[in-house]
Amino acid sequence: MHIVAIRRDVYEKNPWVAQSLLKAFTAAQKEAYAELRETAALKFMLPWLPRHVEETEELMGRDYWPYGYEPNVHSLATFLRYHHEQGLSKRLLTPKELFAPESLETFKI
């Protein structure tokens, strides 16, 4: 749905920032998904929200806006191919080129 960019000078001085941002956004997303499923008191002003969430999950799965490289590689490859075919990029990029190497792997200490 969105792309998060890091200024090159910030990334070069602090390469850890790529993985930290991914972890922060992933945690926020999990919280938002949980709030959408809360039915005791709806947090959003949509009376049929629980049913809309169920229908979306039936169609697209529980993580319908996946973050990171792996779950998006096919969509990104298709986008990049179209981008190149339409003359918007000089060469065909690969999805991996869009990601900071530090954001391709996750680990917990």
Side-chain angles (χ1 to χ4, degrees):
M1 181 192 329
H2 295 86
I3 292 176
V4 176
I6 304 168
R7 277 193 358 226
R8 184 163 305 281
D9 64 317
V10 171
Y11 171 71
E12 287 173 352
K13 289 178 186 172
N14 309 287
W16 53 265
V17 78
Q19 190 172 89
S20 293
L21 278 173
L22 179 60
K23 286 180 179 181
F25 279 106
T26 300
Q29 180 191 46
K30 285 181 182 179
E31 203 172 301
Y33 280 161
E35 288 182 0
L36 284 173
R37 292 184 193 92
E38 177 59 54
T39 58
L42 295 179
K43 299 189 185 290
F44 308 98
M45 296 176 54
L46 297 170
W48 295 280
L49 179 63
R51 184 63 197 135
H52 291 306
V53 171
E54 288 171 10
E55 289 171 352
T56 300
E57 289 177 349
E58 287 168 10
L59 181 66
M60 301 173 73
R62 276 184 77 94
D63 186 9
Y64 41 88
W65 295 122
Y67 290 172
Y69 173 76
E70 283 297 328
N72 292 294
V73 70
H74 177 72
S75 297
L76 290 169
T78 302
F79 167 79
L80 291 170
R81 188 179 80 242
Y82 291 161
H83 194 269
H84 180 66
E85 288 172 356
Q86 294 172 20
L88 299 170
S89 54
K90 292 180 182 179
R91 68 176 179 84
L92 179 60
L93 297 165
T94 66
K96 213 169 235 185
E97 291 178 89
L98 302 178
F99 288 80
E102 294 81 5
S103 69
L104 295 173
E105 296 180 25
T106 58
F107 59 88
K108 190 174 186 177
I109 296 176

